[in-house]
Amino acid sequence: MTEQVGYSGRLLVLDDESDVASTICMMAEKASYATAHTDDADIFLDKVVSWAPTHVMVDLQLADRDGVEVVHRLAKMGCKAAVIIISGLGQRIIDSSARAATENGLWLLGTLHKPFLRAELMDLLAAGAPKKWPQRLLPLAVRPQRQILKDQLAQALRANAFTVYFQPKIACHNGKLVGFECLARWPQADGSMIPPDQFIGLAEQTGMINELTRQVYQFALANLPGRPANAELKFALNLSPINFTDETFPRWLLDQCRDHEVAPSQIILELTETASLDNPLALLENLTQFRIRGFHLSIDDFGVGYSSLIQLARLPFSELKIDQMFVKSLASSEESRKIVTAMVGLGHSLDLNVVAEGVEDPYALDFLRGLGCNEAQGYFIGRPIDSRAATAWNGFSLERSE
């Protein structure tokens, strides 16, 4: 193990080819990294705790176990180091391992295919590890979760406690603001917010989703940023298929739009691709009625369900929204790049507006622009913000991605 004053970081390597590991460490040391390497997975995991490396490098093929098992252990430990996966295996296997790392909540810096050039390693190390571990990327094992009870949700509904944040959406070709996605939030007394993935499922299971949807829609329509000054903006609202059990909902929504002087053509109703309904005919009829009344319909999370093409063929969508799991990994996964390319092409061939969510780095936005993707949203462009901040949001400079 090599340690030095003023080092750029600590690199810990797990590889059962000692000459390869030694060479990697030698390369990193020339870039002022402190280094250590081992061929034993248990020793490696112990050093992750005792030495607190800023970077870890894991080979997928090990003598005593495979690299994916080690990656899984790193996630359960709450490892905060930047992860680099290396292997001489096929690229599809490496990409799958990389997805396992990111979906476990680890910070994946990138992958390297053996044999790799010194410049490739230096490029990854230059990217560095995050100075502050992002809350959204905390491993699942340590991510704070609230135990929400049915009575708490019911009480919040009675108190009309739910609010809405707005995430900007831009045109990929020029960075111009084209609208916002309206995202439900549940404010807490300590100033924190409970995100929708922690209460929407409970609302659906307990029969409270219809009331929740109406409250969220009412708040959003009453506080749409940029209204009425900019009548070109569009606003996306999430829709549960269970809402269709309320036969009065379509008329109610139309009345709400009229009361707030919002044209139905400014509203995009996002229906998740993985959503199911016991009566597919009722889904078809309801969605068609929304389109007749002028609303836009978006198939959300496209690419993660099993009935994608069936949904596109049967239902009158006007927009296709590419799931963020493919967009987030564009820079590191050739497979994701091919899939996103195909999805953009499919959407355009069906005359659909194509939106990519989960844009978190300049590479992703540049790649999407090159494909001619219509719109994009994500943390790199803008985080969800309240109505006042959203009204003041002036668009996105494409110079940030160059």
Side-chain angles (χ1 to χ4, degrees):
M1 181 171 69
T2 301
E3 188 87 37
Q4 52 187 307
V5 178
Y7 62 87
S8 300
R10 295 190 184 99
L11 173 65
L12 178 60
V13 181
L14 174 62
D15 195 318
D16 59 2
E17 296 180 273
S18 59
D19 56 336
V20 172
S22 298
T23 301
I24 291 171
C25 289
M26 199 183 322
M27 292 177 181
E29 286 165 13
K30 290 181 179 179
S32 300
Y33 273 79
T35 65
H37 69 85
T38 179
D39 60 0
D40 187 295
D42 292 325
I43 294 175
F44 171 83
L45 293 168
D46 287 342
K47 281 187 179 295
V48 168
V49 176
S50 62
W51 195 45
T54 59
H55 298 67
V56 296
M57 184 176 288
V58 179
D59 185 22
L60 293 181
Q61 287 182 298
L62 302 167
D64 58 341
R65 66 186 77 181
D66 63 74
V68 173
E69 181 184 348
V70 175
V71 165
H72 185 75
R73 288 282 303 278
L74 288 173
K76 291 185 74 66
M77 291 165 57
C79 175
K80 295 178 173 61
V83 177
I84 299 172
I85 291 176
I86 60 174
S87 181
L89 296 171
Q91 192 60 47
R92 287 177 63 86
I93 299 174
I94 296 175
D95 287 347
S96 295
S97 303
R99 281 195 295 275
T102 55
E103 291 178 25
N104 266 296
L106 293 170
W107 183 277
L108 179 71
L109 201 57
T111 63
L112 292 171
H113 189 276
K114 292 181 176 179
F116 51 84
L117 301 175
R118 179 181 183 275
E120 294 177 288
L121 173 61
M122 292 301 101
D123 285 345
L124 282 182
L125 293 179
K131 294 180 181 178
K132 182 178 180 182
W133 191 248
Q135 180 74 13
R136 61 190 171 83
L137 289 178
L138 278 173
L140 295 177
V142 298
R143 183 180 298 157
Q145 293 286 330
R146 298 177 187 261
Q147 182 66 36
I148 301 171
L149 303 177
K150 177 180 178 180
D151 290 345
Q152 292 174 307
L153 183 59
Q155 182 178 356
L157 286 170
R158 288 193 295 270
N160 204 24
F162 294 91
T163 186
V164 172
Y165 271 29
F166 302 89
Q167 185 170 34
K169 297 168 67 177
I170 63 167
C172 287
H173 72 282
N174 62 8
K176 180 182 177 182
L177 176 68
V178 295
F180 296 88
E181 181 174 3
C182 309
L183 300 164
R185 294 290 187 270
W186 182 357
Q188 300 299 292
D190 61 3
S192 64
M193 294 278 185
I194 300 180
D197 62 354
Q198 294 189 28
F199 60 82
I200 293 295
L202 178 62
E204 290 180 328
Q205 296 165 14
T206 55
M208 289 185 263
I209 190 63
N210 289 331
E211 176 60 25
L212 176 60
T213 300
R214 291 194 180 210
Q215 283 194 22
V216 169
Y217 277 37
Q218 279 183 318
F219 186 100
L221 291 170
N223 294 277
L224 292 178
R227 283 280 308 158
N230 192 341
E232 296 181 357
L233 296 179
K234 289 185 170 59
F235 304 93
L237 290 154
N238 291 282
L239 186 67
S240 169
I242 299 175
N243 292 134
F244 296 129
T245 60
D246 178 2
E247 296 180 358
T248 66
F249 180 74
R251 170 55 59 182
W252 174 87
L253 180 55
L254 203 60
D255 290 342
Q256 288 294 311
C257 287
R258 184 192 64 242
D259 293 345
H260 291 93
E261 298 181 343
V262 179
S265 59
Q266 287 188 270
I267 300 299
I268 304 168
L269 301 175
E270 293 190 358
L271 187 74
T272 177
E273 181 204 1
T274 55
S276 62
L277 192 67
D278 292 337
N279 189 345
L281 177 57
L283 181 63
L284 174 63
E285 291 174 344
N286 279 280
L287 292 183
T288 302
Q289 288 177 322
F290 276 118
R291 292 289 284 129
I292 291 171
R293 291 181 170 114
F295 294 97
H296 291 278
L297 291 175
S298 177
I299 181 167
D300 197 9
D301 302 332
F302 186 78
V304 297
Y306 297 101
S307 57
S308 311
L309 297 180
I310 295 175
Q311 294 273 44
L312 279 180
R314 291 189 73 249
L315 303 175
F317 290 105
S318 53
E319 180 179 281
L320 182 155
K321 197 167 190 182
I322 301 171
D323 186 76
Q324 60 182 310
M325 70 173 288
F326 300 109
V327 180
K328 286 181 177 180
S329 58
L330 283 173
S332 60
S333 170
E334 181 180 359
E335 192 171 72
S336 289
R337 292 191 288 272
K338 291 178 179 178
I339 290 172
V340 169
T341 299
M343 285 194 278
V344 171
L346 174 64
H348 286 165
S349 70
L350 295 173
D351 296 322
L352 300 176
N353 187 56
V354 181
V355 180
E357 61 179 334
V359 176
E360 298 192 353
D361 55 67
Y363 180 93
L365 183 55
D366 287 343
F367 185 82
L368 293 164
R369 288 173 61 198
L371 294 179
C373 183
N374 301 99
E375 299 171 9
Q377 69 183 89
Y379 285 177
F380 179 65
I381 296 164
R383 291 174 175 267
I385 46 182
D386 63 27
S387 180
R388 180 178 297 180
T391 297
W393 204 85
N394 292 319
F396 179 86
S397 172
L398 290 180
E399 292 180 0
R400 288 178 58 190
S401 65
E402 294 176 350

